[in-house]
Amino acid sequence: MSSPPSFPPPAVCTPAQLLATRDAFDSVAADYDGPRGNNALIQEMRREMWRWMDLTFAPGSRLLDLGCGTGLDAVRMARVGHRVIATDWSDQMVRRTTERAAQEQLTPRVAALVAGAHELHRLEGERTYDGAYSNLGPLNCVPDLEAMSRELFRLLKPGGSLVFTVIGRVCPWEIAHYLGRRKWARLRIRYARGFVPVGMNNHTVWTHYYAPREFYRAFKHDFALTHFRGLCLFAPPPYISWVHDRHPRWHERLWRLDRALAAWPVFRGLGDHFLIVMRRRR
Ligand SMILES: C[S@@+](CC[C@H](N)C(=O)[O-])C[C@H]1O[C@@H](n2cnc3c(N)ncnc32)[C@H](O)[C@@H]1O
């Protein structure tokens, strides 16, 4: 994702923009679990997400994956004993998830469904799921998070949990990266108020960046905030790979700092992404 936005940005995401985002992800689905969507640095973020999901969800949970992509998380969660309904707005991504689940003989435990996170009203049931998760930014593309929160309240059992990683606003590594290159427009993109166009594979992903508390506002009526922390605050974000490539030991140390310190006040509002855990109110 790289092209600068046009300012001022629109506050809402229109149906045409949602379709543009879907086309963008359809166009990269074939190779998204290669370097573009799952390089070594992204795999570290994924491991951190798995650690938090393992801490949060009880064994044998029934889970919803929002924006499952190629199904890497859904298949992993099924492998450790959960049952997952994996959903995504892109039918090409859902196809990849279905294929992966079949290849790994996990089809009974992973069911993949074309459904945007803004379309949860299409999912039947009340108090059906033990939890829901979303990894690496699908929720940055959802037009109305409050409406989504209401649907999740309907779908989750009382006490059910949400674990999300969301693209944040203030990423110190990114600030240094673009300041050094004097890319002012790119530097400002995360601070836009509404949805901004972000280029990917000659398509556009309409993206809303959030600070953690700004994001939580949409959920606070239905869900209590349990934990939030920066993700890739000390460790560099996935598109800044030189530390990992040239100084692997430093890279490991920076990840250790992330795990130890990124939940501290002030730090927890920073980072390429943030990780947030919430619990359904009764
Ligand atoms: C950066 S990828 C992350 C995929 C996956 N969660 C992972 O960890 O690899 C973002 C995903 O969000 C999906 N997405 C975009 N907008 C969405 C929406 N409104 N509802 C659900 N999924 C959406 C895309 O199709 C894509 O698969």
Side-chain angles (χ1 to χ4, degrees):
M1 298 190 187
S2 59
S3 64
S6 55
F7 281 90
V12 293
C13 186
T14 65
Q17 289 165 354
L18 267 173
L19 293 178
T21 298
R22 187 179 70 183
D23 288 347
F25 282 106
D26 275 347
S27 80
V28 294
D31 65 353
Y32 204 67
D33 44 9
R36 187 197 292 275
N38 200 38
N39 71 9
L41 283 71
I42 296 177
Q43 289 172 40
E44 305 233 35
M45 297 171 76
R46 208 178 281 292
R47 274 194 288 277
E48 186 62 5
M49 174 63 162
W50 291 353
R51 190 166 78 83
W52 280 95
M53 290 203 284
D54 292 348
L55 287 169
T56 305
F57 299 130
S61 288
R62 186 150 195 234
L63 301 175
L64 252 182
D65 183 333
L66 307 173
C68 60
T70 63
L72 290 163
D73 297 327
V75 160
R76 189 273 177 182
M77 295 307 274
R79 230 186 271 132
V80 299
H82 303 290
R83 283 164 299 151
V84 184
I85 303 292
T87 64
D88 200 289
W89 177 226
S90 149
D91 55 340
Q92 295 305 311
M93 290 289 191
V94 169
R95 200 160 62 91
R96 296 290 319 281
T97 297
T98 305
E99 286 166 4
R100 186 186 302 283
Q103 269 161 19
E104 304 224 5
Q105 301 186 328
L106 286 166
T107 301
R109 293 196 153 268
V110 178
L113 186 72
V114 181
H118 54 284
E119 298 181 306
L120 296 182
H121 55 272
R122 289 179 40 213
L123 269 61
E124 286 180 5
E126 269 178 36
R127 304 177 170 210
T128 307
Y129 297 89
D130 300 293
Y133 64 87
S134 178
N135 199 9
L136 297 169
L139 304 187
N140 293 89
C141 303
V142 171
D144 183 347
L145 289 175
E146 269 183 48
M148 191 190 82
S149 169
R150 286 194 292 277
E151 294 300 334
L152 286 171
F153 183 83
R154 170 179 63 84
L155 290 165
L156 260 61
K157 296 175 186 167
S161 294
L162 305 176
V163 185
F164 298 151
T165 65
V166 179
I167 310 172
R169 281 199 183 274
V170 186
C171 175
W173 274 98
E174 178 164 303
I175 294 169
H177 181 77
Y178 288 123
L179 267 181
R181 284 163 182 74
R182 296 167 188 271
K183 292 197 169 178
W184 315 121
R186 190 61 185 78
L187 193 58
R188 286 191 306 165
I189 193 170
R190 287 189 188 236
Y191 306 98
R193 287 216 158 267
F195 282 84
V196 281
V198 179
M200 184 179 74
N201 198 31
N202 295 321
H203 289 74
T204 301
V205 176
W206 286 88
T207 305
H208 193 312
Y209 296 89
Y210 295 97
R213 289 206 179 273
E214 176 187 11
F215 180 83
Y216 176 62
R217 269 205 295 275
F219 296 85
K220 69 178 186 204
H221 182 261
D222 306 310
F223 293 89
L225 181 59
T226 311
H227 181 80
F228 70 97
R229 59 190 301 114
L231 186 63
C232 283
L233 165 56
F234 300 96
Y239 50 89
I240 300 180
S241 58
W242 62 265
V243 186
H244 173 266
D245 298 343
R246 287 188 232 152
H247 309 285
R249 270 201 213 142
W250 271 105
H251 190 257
E252 183 43 44
R253 276 183 203 136
L254 291 170
W255 258 108
R256 260 184 255 149
L257 281 180
D258 243 70
R259 284 188 286 266
L261 303 181
W264 285 19
V266 182
F267 287 165
R268 63 189 176 186
L270 310 175
D272 180 50
H273 281 60
F274 58 89
L275 186 149
I276 185 163
V277 184
M278 295 175 262
R279 176 161 296 182
R280 185 191 188 273
R281 298 188 194 277
R282 295 192 177 257

